[in-house]
Amino acid sequence: MESPGRLAELLDRQAYLADEGLATAAFLALRMGRPLFLEGEAGVGKTELAKALAALLEAPLIRLQCYEGLDAAQALYDWDFARQLLHLKAAEAAGVTDVGRLEGEIYDRRFLIARPLLKALETGPSVLLVDEIDRADDEFEAFLLEVLSDYTISIPELGTVRAATPPVVVVTSNRTREVHDALKRRCLYHWLEHPGFDREVAILLRRLPGCTETLAAQVARAAARLRGADLVKPPGVAETLDWTEALLTLGAKELDPDRAAATLGAALKYREDVESVLSRGLLRHE
């Protein structure tokens, strides 16, 4: 692909509508071989971009879902102890007594379970999605930075694994905490906003072929009102899509207040938010 505009066109074929800023950031990440760090509220399309890139590049998407307590072993590799033990028992039954040979055999690559990071380095090309890095601990952040610096992993029993073709890396954060500058400096950074009205309408029509322009416009306006209502968790694009799909499932051609209220659980996930929206009449058309 020769330009950000061309990348945006190709992403559109994967049903992902990227604005100029995001298309430019993704284009530069691909051309420069740098990880792309995406920050923004949940549901604005960070994870979906990684999926769209994987489909576009015809490469497997390898996802590392971050969480508190995630450590290097869970992200890198693990030894299949059950299979190693079975191998030792089989060797013992066969009368093998050479300790050096047995040790070499049980630490063979076939007994190694590749976790997402190792799998991404061994699979070329691939798209590595490090999802919600802000949920992981500081120590894991530092470890990830080391891996992304040269795309190598050292396995004491086997040696160093180096990526023949470095993966395309997308790192996402919902900004529940600040990610260290050292990791951000390694990446190209882009902040994803909620889409504007026109783009959200286009997304709904693109992703939900049965949606009418009237319904898409009404849902997009309602979502914009909800995002400005100081809710615990305002709806992102993912929730807007779910809400519209729920309405379509009920046969709706437009967003009337009663049906909007009945399906509000597709857009809002907190009881306080639902009660606030209903009590303030935010679902009424302007």
Side-chain angles (χ1 to χ4, degrees):
M1 59 203 76
E2 62 279 4
S3 68
R6 178 57 177 161
L7 176 58
E9 292 175 8
L10 294 173
L11 288 172
D12 178 70
R13 295 180 186 178
Q14 305 300 327
Y16 189 94
L17 303 184
D19 61 21
E20 183 179 359
L22 179 57
T24 300
F27 172 79
L28 292 174
L30 291 173
R31 276 295 182 89
M32 298 168 64
R34 298 277 295 279
L36 178 60
F37 190 101
L38 299 177
E39 257 189 341
E41 293 187 32
V44 294
K46 302 183 295 297
T47 299
E48 289 301 314
L49 176 64
K51 294 179 180 178
L53 286 173
L56 170 61
L57 299 172
E58 297 183 346
L61 175 69
I62 299 173
R63 181 173 183 167
L64 173 60
Q65 180 62 52
C66 298
Y67 53 87
E68 186 178 354
L70 176 66
D71 61 26
Q74 294 162 316
L76 272 179
Y77 65 87
D78 204 355
W79 289 104
D80 191 337
F81 296 117
R83 288 188 63 205
Q84 287 174 318
L85 183 58
L86 286 173
H87 180 77
L88 287 175
K89 288 183 176 179
E92 181 182 359
V96 178
T97 58
D98 187 336
V99 175
R101 172 187 164 185
L102 287 174
E103 184 175 347
E105 289 179 350
I106 64 171
Y107 286 109
D108 186 77
R109 178 63 182 82
R110 62 191 165 126
F111 295 118
L112 193 70
I113 302 172
R115 303 302 184 192
L117 291 182
L118 178 58
K119 190 180 297 184
L121 297 192
E122 291 185 322
T123 306
S126 64
V127 176
L128 172 62
L129 169 61
V130 182
D131 216 6
E132 299 184 328
I133 186 63
D134 52 318
R135 295 186 181 275
D137 301 324
D138 292 350
E139 293 79 6
F140 182 78
E141 237 184 86
F143 161 74
L144 180 64
L145 176 62
E146 182 180 347
V147 173
L148 296 183
S149 294
D150 53 12
Y151 297 105
T152 62
I153 290 173
S154 178
I155 303 174
E157 299 86 354
L158 296 178
T160 299
V161 177
R162 184 182 302 274
T165 302
V168 174
V169 180
V170 178
V171 183
T172 76
S173 168
N174 295 335
R175 208 171 187 179
T176 58
R177 69 169 178 84
E178 286 296 333
V179 175
H180 288 188
D181 289 342
L183 180 58
K184 286 187 175 181
R185 283 197 301 270
R186 179 70 185 82
C187 307
L188 296 178
Y189 176 86
H190 187 77
W191 172 268
L192 264 71
E193 298 279 1
H194 289 292
F197 173 76
D198 290 338
R199 195 159 73 90
E200 187 147 32
V201 170
I203 291 170
L204 294 175
L205 294 175
R206 185 74 173 81
R207 296 289 295 272
L208 300 169
C211 183
T212 64
E213 290 192 21
T214 298
L215 179 61
Q218 290 174 340
V219 170
R221 289 193 187 96
R225 289 198 300 273
L226 297 183
R227 289 170 191 149
D230 192 28
L231 303 178
V232 175
K233 172 60 179 72
V237 179
E239 286 76 28
T240 307
L241 285 165
D242 286 345
W243 196 11
T244 307
E245 186 176 3
L247 291 162
L248 290 172
T249 301
L250 295 176
K253 299 298 182 183
E254 57 182 39
L255 185 68
D256 63 83
D258 289 340
R259 198 161 271 175
T263 56
L264 194 55
L268 302 179
K269 309 301 179 181
Y270 286 86
R271 172 187 171 189
E272 299 89 338
D273 287 346
V274 173
E275 291 178 347
S276 174
V277 167
L278 294 178
S279 65
R280 294 157 65 186
L282 295 178
L283 296 179
R284 291 194 296 268
H285 297 317
E286 295 178 342

